[in-house]
Amino acid sequence: MIHFILNNKTIKTPEKSGVTLLDFIRENQQLKGTKIGCREGDCGACTVLVGELNNNKISYQSITSCISPLGNAHGKHIVTIEGINLPKKLNSAQEAMSNNYATQCGFCTPGFVVSMTGFALGNDKNKTCNDAVSGNICRCTGYKSIEKAGFEIEEKLLQKDENNKIAWLIQEGFIPNYFEEIPNRIKDLKVEKLNSEETKVANGTDLYVRYADDLSEENIELLSSKKELKNIVFSNGICSIGANATVTNMDESLQLQTLFSKLKQFLKLVSSEQIRNMGTLGGNFVNASPIGDMSIFFLALNSTLTIQHKNGSERTIPFQEFHQDYKKYDLQEDEILTSISFPVPSKNTFFNFEKVSKRTHLDIASVNSAGSITLKNNTVTDAHFSVGGVAAIPKYLFKTGQFLVGKEINNKTIKEAETVLQSEITPISDVRGTSAYKRLLAKQLFFAHFIELFPSKVELQKLIA
Ligand SMILES: Cc1cc2nc3c(=O)[nH]c(=O)nc-3n(C[C@H](O)[C@H](O)[C@H](O)COP(=O)(O)OP(=O)(O)OC[C@H]3O[C@@H](n4cnc5c(N)ncnc54)[C@H](O)[C@@H]3O)c2cc1C
Ligand code: FES
Ligand code: FES
């Protein structure tokens, strides 16, 4: 039985774990405030919050319920728009939307209000309310009024008591009183292991876009119930990140932020708030998209994958060897990815990630690329580059990196290395652009790494001359 709390109600249901959370909410529970738009995670109309208890602390995140399996709600608190209503008045997010005339047809509004409430419940001081609604689309109001509502919420939250957050948000009318009791109620849930069949799903953002109907008939294997595969660990100069870690888990890691000073900027280019809260590293690698952002990121870090067999045995392989051909990879039926590890970059190692897509946010890449270059006295001692969208797999550029080792960083060597890069890629023309366009982007992004990392050693005009 799947056991969780939906708003203020405890649920125990024999439904299949593969049913979408959206269908359970709307059809089984008849809560129609959560809307259906795209059913592909793209519009945010179906946004709900997931509250999870870790080390006795509850934290909430927004997700798109249309591509989330019901089984992933097991042991958690799910909050729909109905669950944040106050008995006699609008809550603070609803009030801000109303004050700023930020709703017209209203179809998108519940999703926005839920995302804004998730923002109020969140901890990230660097995040704006606008960031929190990056996965919500409104077709008729125009975003300015929604943005203004966001500013009003941000201003109210300046007074937030972080040590007593839930009580403060209740007092200020962001959430109803029952939230206070949720941590204790979660502890009382019986979170037994659920029966499962064969299809492995982490958080579903890839699989449910394509197979939601089929998966709804199944008790899927819930990979993300393995909480131990979420850890980010530093030991003996190696960083290991569990395959179930999400993009948001990476974004929130203080150690990773220290290691990559532009981490937040890079990760903001990946999907939207809701999808970053769901999309796992394992899902990104195994979905094997040639433009998978996380695959491109970790390829350039010279990473190693750890793979575990059902019988408990483990093997490791260089991540560069994992993807073999279009959607073909080195993983057997009885195996799962458990973690990805990489040597912690030294202070002489410089890393950059670039992505070009048709729009900056909530879009997949036309071409993406990452590079990591280690220098000693201006001579390259180690270099790793990856580029997506230019081959059948996320492409690790073996020859380009090797070419640069032992050379100085200057306009001439970078131009020569770019010629090597072109010999390693085989882009095809498709909806994302012609082959020639993708070759051009690969070149520009390769140059961008050097312009970004070594502005005093290279000149844009000389590179493109
Ligand atoms: C609206 C939207 C926007 C998106 N934008 C981006 C984007 O900008 N950039 C990008 O790169 N991707 C994007 N994606 C794709 C997707 O979010 C990512 O690939 C995500 O990381 C997939 O993770 P998941 O846990 O949701 O995968 P799932 O759908 O759960 O799984 C995907 C595949 O991986 C397998 N799998 C998962 N974990 C493991 C494991 N530990 N071991 C073995 N197999 C495993 C599953 O069996 C399945 O075959 C987007 C998706 C959506 C819906
Ligand atoms: S219905 Fe569009 S994101 Fe779920
Ligand atoms: S108010 Fe109509 S879609 Fe947003």
Side-chain angles (χ1 to χ4, degrees), residues 97 102-109 112 137-143 146:
M97 290 289 273
T103 178
Q104 222 176 87
C105 78
F107 189 80
C108 66
T109 310
F112 273 95
I137 288 177
C138 173
R139 300 238 177 252
C140 60
T141 302
Y143 289 99
I146 296 173

Side-chain angles (χ1 to χ4, degrees), residues 22-37:
L22 174 67
D23 286 338
F24 182 81
I25 289 166
R26 283 183 57 93
E27 306 310 327
N28 185 301
Q29 294 295 305
Q30 290 292 306
L31 293 172
K32 304 283 184 175
T34 305
K35 301 298 178 209
I36 308 173

Side-chain angles (χ1 to χ4, degrees), residues 3-62:
H3 204 186
F4 66 105
I5 303 166
L6 176 60
N7 300 329
N8 194 10
K9 178 178 171 187
T10 302
I11 303 274
K12 207 168 186 180
T13 173
E15 287 281 334
K16 302 270 188 197
S17 59
V19 166
T20 69
L21 183 56
L22 174 67
D23 286 338
F24 182 81
I25 289 166
R26 283 183 57 93
E27 306 310 327
N28 185 301
Q29 294 295 305
Q30 290 292 306
L31 293 172
K32 304 283 184 175
T34 305
K35 301 298 178 209
I36 308 173
C38 62
R39 272 197 187 269
E40 290 192 355
D42 254 323
C43 73
C46 66
T47 302
V48 300
L49 301 179
V50 184
E52 201 172 352
L53 205 56
N54 283 311
N55 304 324
N56 267 339
K57 270 188 116 179
I58 188 141
S59 60
Y60 287 88
Q61 287 190 322
S62 58

Side-chain angles (χ1 to χ4, degrees), residues 111-375:
F112 273 95
V113 169
V114 172
S115 291
M116 287 167 161
T117 305
F119 170 70
L121 282 156
N123 304 318
D124 191 345
K125 289 251 176 307
N126 296 309
K127 202 176 278 173
T128 65
C129 197
N130 247 357
D131 294 332
V133 298
S134 61
N136 294 83
I137 288 177
C138 173
R139 300 238 177 252
C140 60
T141 302
Y143 289 99
K144 275 293 155 205
S145 43
I146 296 173
E147 199 177 38
K148 281 188 206 152
F151 292 149
E152 188 175 315
I153 291 169
E154 282 169 13
E155 204 164 315
K156 253 189 150 173
L157 290 172
L158 288 176
Q159 312 301 324
K160 183 160 80 172
D161 177 358
E162 291 293 347
N163 299 321
N164 218 353
K165 189 165 60 183
I166 296 288
W168 188 89
L169 290 169
I170 291 171
Q171 184 193 308
E172 296 302 315
F174 277 92
I175 46 175
N177 293 342
Y178 78 87
F179 270 71
E180 193 87 87
E181 280 309 308
I182 292 294
N184 284 333
R185 286 174 63 184
I186 289 184
K187 282 184 204 157
D188 290 341
L189 295 175
K190 290 207 169 23
V191 191
E192 284 155 3
K193 194 172 180 332
L194 300 172
N195 293 334
S196 67
E197 292 154 45
E198 66 221 48
T199 311
K200 298 184 184 74
V201 180
N203 283 339
T205 62
D206 177 48
L207 284 180
Y208 272 77
V209 171
R210 292 178 287 155
Y211 308 117
D213 289 347
D214 296 339
L215 294 169
S216 291
E217 309 280 319
E218 237 189 89
N219 276 317
I220 54 175
E221 185 177 341
L222 297 158
L223 292 178
S224 52
S225 63
K226 297 176 199 290
K227 280 194 180 181
E228 67 283 7
L229 298 189
K230 273 197 143 197
N231 295 339
I232 301 179
V233 181
F234 286 76
S235 172
N236 295 329
I238 301 287
C239 171
S240 269
I241 308 183
N244 281 345
T246 61
V247 179
T248 299
N249 293 145
M250 278 182 65
D251 187 65
E252 289 177 350
S253 158
L254 294 178
Q255 282 167 302
L256 288 179
Q257 286 169 25
T258 311
L259 220 50
F260 305 104
S261 57
K262 290 195 168 165
L263 185 74
K264 286 192 171 285
Q265 201 174 309
F266 298 150
L267 298 184
K268 210 171 167 180
L269 298 175
V270 182
S271 57
S272 64
E273 170 88 1
Q274 290 94 322
I275 305 297
R276 285 191 292 272
N277 289 340
M278 301 166 80
T280 61
L281 298 188
N284 204 266
F285 304 155
V286 177
N287 123 26
S289 161
I291 45 170
D293 287 319
M294 292 295 97
S295 291
I296 291 303
F297 190 96
F298 283 96
L299 277 172
L301 287 170
N302 198 20
S303 309
T304 303
L305 273 182
T306 303
I307 295 170
Q308 192 178 59
H309 192 272
K310 217 175 175 178
N311 64 18
S313 64
E314 276 191 350
R315 64 186 175 103
T316 55
I317 56 163
F319 188 33
Q320 301 140 11
E321 291 170 15
F322 180 65
H323 297 108
Q324 298 167 331
D325 202 345
Y326 185 66
K327 302 271 175 186
K328 284 204 181 130
Y329 40 82
D330 181 2
L331 192 71
Q332 306 303 315
E333 285 259 303
D334 285 342
E335 291 180 322
I336 58 164
L337 305 185
T338 52
S339 66
I340 186 140
S341 314
F342 60 90
V344 173
S346 73
K347 65 177 188 342
N348 297 322
T349 301
F350 303 88
F351 178 86
N352 190 42
F353 173 78
E354 299 280 341
K355 172 172 175 177
V356 172
S357 42
K358 289 188 178 173
R359 59 178 182 199
T360 312
H361 299 289
L362 190 42
D363 200 0
I364 51 173
S366 297
V367 173
N368 47 4
S369 177
S372 146
I373 302 142
T374 307
L375 290 186

Side-chain angles (χ1 to χ4, degrees), residues 370-405:
S372 146
I373 302 142
T374 307
L375 290 186
K376 193 173 179 191
N377 304 328
N378 199 31
T379 301
V380 177
T381 55
D382 198 20
H384 302 276
F385 296 96
S386 54
V387 58
V390 293
I393 57 173
K395 186 79 181 161
Y396 176 76
L397 301 170
F398 285 93
K399 292 182 189 161
T400 311
Q402 276 162 16
F403 173 85
L404 275 171
V405 173

